[in-house]
Amino acid sequence: MSRGVRESISKHSFSSRMITIGIFLVLFSAHDLFSFSEAQQLQFGFYSETCPSAESIVGDVVKQAVTKDPGNAAVLLRLHFHDCFVEGCDGSILIKHEVNDDERFAPGNAGVGGFDVIDNAKSELERLCPGVVSCADIVALAARDAVIAAKGPFYEVPTGRRDGLTSDKSNAANLPDVEDSINILKSKFREKGLSDKDLVLLSAGAHTIGTTACFFIMSRLDAQDSTISPEFFQVLRLKCPKGGDVNVRIPLDWESQFVFDEQIFRNIRDGKGVIKSDSVLYQDNDMKNIIESYLASNESSEANFAADFAEAMVKMGVIGVKTGVQGEVRRICNATN
């Protein structure tokens, strides 16, 4: 284990006080969000009577998956993001068609995974509580539990989502992309009701864990992107040589790829952002100020990042949700009933 990772684990075993602050902010934000649309029908502990062990079952499956492969934490976090940004948080990304025209095959969803983990959780839930817990809720809960497994904050997830009935890769044509400019990224997030601060947290902040493929950075390396520090450019070029294997995986956070911490913001500030969509954030004054706020030398900076990230996750998790009689509760997650 590297020195950076050891220090991160020590620094980011979040205290109960920090978690309490995060939950308070999430609950406060959720109250505002739930005043509108179908989101108001979501609630904390939705399955407390119909399937009391639902959340613990999902948590156990996620813990096992991350223990087996620490990279699964980032995979499950990304799955939730990519689900919510298309048809809303309705599990539509899980549906699989025989002709490969579903969301999974959209270019913007290249490399999205974690489907087996969701299927495992669903199988166990169907054994104990058949027809009760939606796949959409499993995805949202699994993302939260993945964050916890990476030494991140606990936060309450409102549940009661219903599963969508359709999945079409053409609907995923406008996902945020690594090559997007800062203005395009802002626009895509605002279309979903998310703020510039949410963009920093859910895009760059979420990249505190996980990897990407050389495929996604080749163009900026070939163009000798000036936002990359000269020293780090050489590191990336060595890992992703011109004409090399574009499927080679590299960490998004070079210092602590398996630990939830604020190091990703330090990397971006220092010209060590791996993907372009992270680096461009620091070229915008408003985004730069948000990033710098999480690097302030005071005791509250880390707590603020943890709490703010949790709040942004809850906010994203209510995008376009289906509730009540909308949609369905799938028996298996990769196919409608």
Side-chain angles (χ1 to χ4, degrees):
M1 182 181 292
S2 71
R3 177 173 177 268
V5 171
R6 288 198 303 270
E7 291 177 346
S8 295
I9 292 175
S10 174
K11 288 170 60 182
H12 297 91
S13 295
F14 294 97
S15 68
S16 59
R17 177 178 178 273
M18 180 183 298
I19 293 171
T20 300
I21 292 172
I23 292 175
F24 174 80
L25 289 175
V26 171
L27 289 171
F28 182 81
S29 173
H31 179 272
D32 292 340
L33 286 167
F34 295 171
S35 299
F36 305 96
S37 76
E38 290 74 17
Q40 65 185 318
Q41 296 185 47
L42 297 183
Q43 62 187 57
F44 299 115
F46 182 84
Y47 300 108
S48 59
E49 295 184 4
T50 55
C51 191
S53 58
E55 294 197 24
S56 62
I57 289 172
V58 175
D60 287 345
V61 171
V62 170
K63 184 177 180 180
Q64 292 171 15
V66 176
T67 299
K68 182 178 180 181
D69 179 359
N72 278 328
V75 169
L76 291 168
L77 182 56
R78 186 181 183 215
L79 179 63
H80 185 35
F81 180 95
H82 282 249
D83 182 37
C84 292
F85 259 73
V86 182
E87 289 292 298
C89 309
D90 68 348
S92 58
I93 195 170
L94 305 174
I95 297 174
K96 188 175 183 180
H97 297 157
E98 292 183 1
V99 293
N100 298 342
D101 62 351
D102 50 78
E103 287 179 31
R104 296 193 195 194
F105 289 90
N109 283 331
V112 171
F115 304 107
D116 57 333
V117 180
I118 303 301
D119 288 342
N120 290 342
K122 179 63 171 176
S123 295
E124 183 63 13
L125 287 166
E126 284 298 299
R127 185 179 68 83
L128 295 175
C129 313
V132 174
V133 183
S134 70
C135 299
D137 274 343
I138 295 173
V139 172
L141 291 168
R144 186 269 309 276
D145 295 331
V147 170
I148 296 171
K151 311 297 182 184
F154 169 87
Y155 57 92
E156 295 284 358
V157 174
T159 45
R161 297 167 186 78
R162 302 268 289 178
D163 295 323
L165 301 174
T166 62
S167 182
D168 190 326
K169 68 178 181 182
S170 65
N171 293 332
N174 200 38
L175 283 164
D177 187 81
V178 293
E179 295 293 329
D180 284 343
S181 68
I182 186 61
N183 288 332
I184 291 176
L185 287 170
K186 285 182 176 181
S187 176
K188 288 181 177 180
F189 272 71
R190 288 170 182 170
E191 286 174 1
K192 300 299 180 181
L194 300 172
S195 68
D196 292 351
K197 182 178 179 180
D198 295 326
L199 166 55
V200 171
L201 291 162
L202 297 173
S203 183
H207 293 160
T208 177
I209 55 176
T211 63
T212 189
C214 286
F215 173 83
F216 294 106
I217 70 167
M218 282 297 195
S219 61
R220 70 186 307 228
L221 293 180
D222 292 344
Q224 297 187 327
D225 189 334
S226 62
T227 63
I228 308 174
S229 74
E231 297 80 6
F232 192 57
F233 178 90
Q234 295 303 320
V235 173
L236 291 177
R237 187 86 279 185
L238 183 63
K239 293 288 185 180
C240 305
K242 195 165 187 174
D245 184 355
V246 297
N247 294 310
V248 169
R249 308 295 299 185
I250 56 175
L252 286 163
D253 180 347
W254 214 263
E255 303 296 327
S256 53
Q257 65 169 307
F258 298 126
V259 180
F260 181 98
D261 58 18
E262 82 292 341
Q263 180 62 42
I264 185 66
F265 297 129
R266 192 169 290 110
N267 294 345
I268 293 171
R269 180 196 64 189
D270 296 342
K272 297 179 180 179
V274 174
I275 57 176
K276 182 180 177 180
S277 57
D278 282 353
S279 295
V280 296
L281 297 178
Y282 205 70
Q283 310 308 309
D284 178 272
N285 285 334
D286 292 336
M287 299 295 191
K288 179 179 179 180
N289 290 335
I290 295 170
I291 291 172
E292 290 289 352
S293 73
Y294 295 123
L295 297 176
S297 299
N298 61 71
E299 294 181 356
S300 67
S301 61
E302 294 168 16
N304 286 342
F305 172 45
D308 289 354
F309 180 81
E311 183 178 4
M313 286 293 290
V314 171
K315 188 175 178 182
M316 181 188 75
V318 303
I319 294 174
V321 293
K322 296 169 177 62
T323 58
V325 298
Q326 297 175 319
E328 64 182 8
V329 175
R330 293 184 212 136
R331 290 187 290 271
I332 57 174
C333 289
N334 63 11
T336 60
N337 295 341

